[in-house]
Amino acid sequence: MMLFHRLEWWFSWMAWALGNWAFLDVLEHLGTFSVLIAVIFYFADSGNRRKQKHYQAWQVINTAQGKGGSGGRIEALQELNADRVSLIGIEASGAFLQGLSLRGADLSRCDFHASDLRNSDFANSRLNFCGLKDANFRSANLTGAAMEDVDMGGADLSGANMGGADLSRADLSRADLRNADLKNIVWKEIGSMRLANVAGVRNASPEFMKFAAKEGAVILDSDEEWDTLLRKEQ
């Protein structure tokens, strides 16, 4: 009985309140309420939208495997990295990815073999055990990158900023390091520097240069001399 009286009182109060509101005031309040409900549903569904966005990005990346162009991979990879999604094992060999920015990304065991990554940004990224053979990293930013056990044989690193990169057990045989910035790199356990071109490298320690010479690195400023040497070694 008491519940009935409370409900009767509540409906009577609502009727009185609505009766005293002007029609336009009612519409205004209903409109505000609708906007509030829409905002609530928007944020409640944000997780599903993010999952859908990630799914579409992975579709772009996987569909473009083995293709030479970008195929939308630059935007897809950058979107995933911005959401802190792991990119371990990404396969993008032979891709055109100039200007790709993946700062702080986890790219361990990736495959960018023979990819064009000029002017890319991999600062503070993890590139451990990656296949980067014959990749073009000209003028790329690799500062602070973890590059242990990476295969960069024949890679073009000319003009790249590699300051503070860890190159322990890395294969740099035949890599072009001309004019690269090697400030504070971790170099004492580099796996191979046979025929690596260290002409004009910047901020390299005297100890590193001695190590490079001992490991078979060369100093060739001329493109013609460098290309001739590489052809002889093929």
Side-chain angles (χ1 to χ4, degrees):
M1 183 66 68
M2 185 175 291
L3 177 62
F4 175 78
H5 284 302
R6 287 181 177 176
L7 289 173
E8 185 179 21
W9 176 87
W10 187 84
F11 281 118
S12 298
W13 183 88
M14 287 293 295
W16 176 84
L18 291 174
N20 284 276
W21 276 359
F23 181 68
L24 291 178
D25 287 339
V26 172
L27 290 180
E28 180 182 352
H29 282 81
L30 287 176
T32 303
F33 182 71
S34 299
V35 171
L36 178 61
I37 293 297
V39 170
I40 291 172
F41 275 106
Y42 177 83
F43 284 104
D45 195 48
S46 60
N48 290 330
R49 288 199 309 278
R50 177 169 290 190
K51 289 179 181 178
Q52 181 65 21
K53 183 178 73 170
H54 292 173
Y55 174 74
Q56 292 173 347
W58 282 116
Q59 274 193 319
V60 169
I61 294 166
N62 294 329
T63 301
Q65 282 188 16
K67 299 179 181 178
S70 168
R73 280 176 286 191
I74 292 177
E75 294 78 8
L77 288 167
Q78 290 178 167
E79 281 185 6
L80 291 171
N81 189 51
D83 287 341
R84 309 315 302 160
V85 176
S86 171
L87 300 175
I88 293 175
I90 284 289
E91 201 290 316
S93 58
F96 182 84
L97 301 172
Q98 280 192 31
L100 176 65
S101 179
L102 293 178
R103 296 176 68 92
D106 189 351
L107 293 154
S108 303
R109 300 185 184 280
C110 67
D111 184 1
F112 285 115
H113 167 71
S115 292
D116 189 340
L117 293 157
R118 282 175 285 179
N119 301 301
S120 55
D121 189 352
F122 290 94
N124 301 312
S125 293
R126 298 188 63 82
L127 294 162
N128 317 70
F129 297 98
C130 285
L132 308 177
K133 190 173 182 179
D134 298 320
N136 189 341
F137 282 93
R138 184 172 294 188
S139 300
N141 183 8
L142 294 163
T143 54
M147 304 175 72
E148 300 100 312
D149 302 281
V150 71
D151 182 359
M152 299 192 82
D156 187 348
L157 293 157
S158 57
N161 187 347
M162 303 175 70
D166 189 344
L167 295 165
S168 300
R169 300 173 301 283
D171 183 354
L172 293 171
S173 56
R174 297 177 295 101
D176 187 355
L177 292 159
R178 284 179 291 179
N179 302 308
D181 190 336
L182 305 182
K183 184 177 182 179
N184 296 326
I185 62 168
V186 180
W187 55 268
K188 290 185 179 179
E189 295 183 32
I190 289 178
S192 175
M193 290 202 69
R194 182 176 177 274
L195 299 181
N197 193 351
V198 294
V201 292
R202 293 172 287 142
N203 299 314
S205 67
E207 292 79 10
F208 168 78
M209 296 304 291
K210 290 178 183 177
F211 169 83
K214 182 180 177 182
E215 294 297 314
V218 297
I219 298 178
L220 295 173
D221 291 306
S222 166
D223 286 339
E224 291 184 5
E225 291 180 309
W226 175 235
D227 292 339
T228 299
L229 176 63
L230 293 180
R231 282 196 297 271
K232 288 180 179 178
E233 292 296 319
Q234 289 178 350

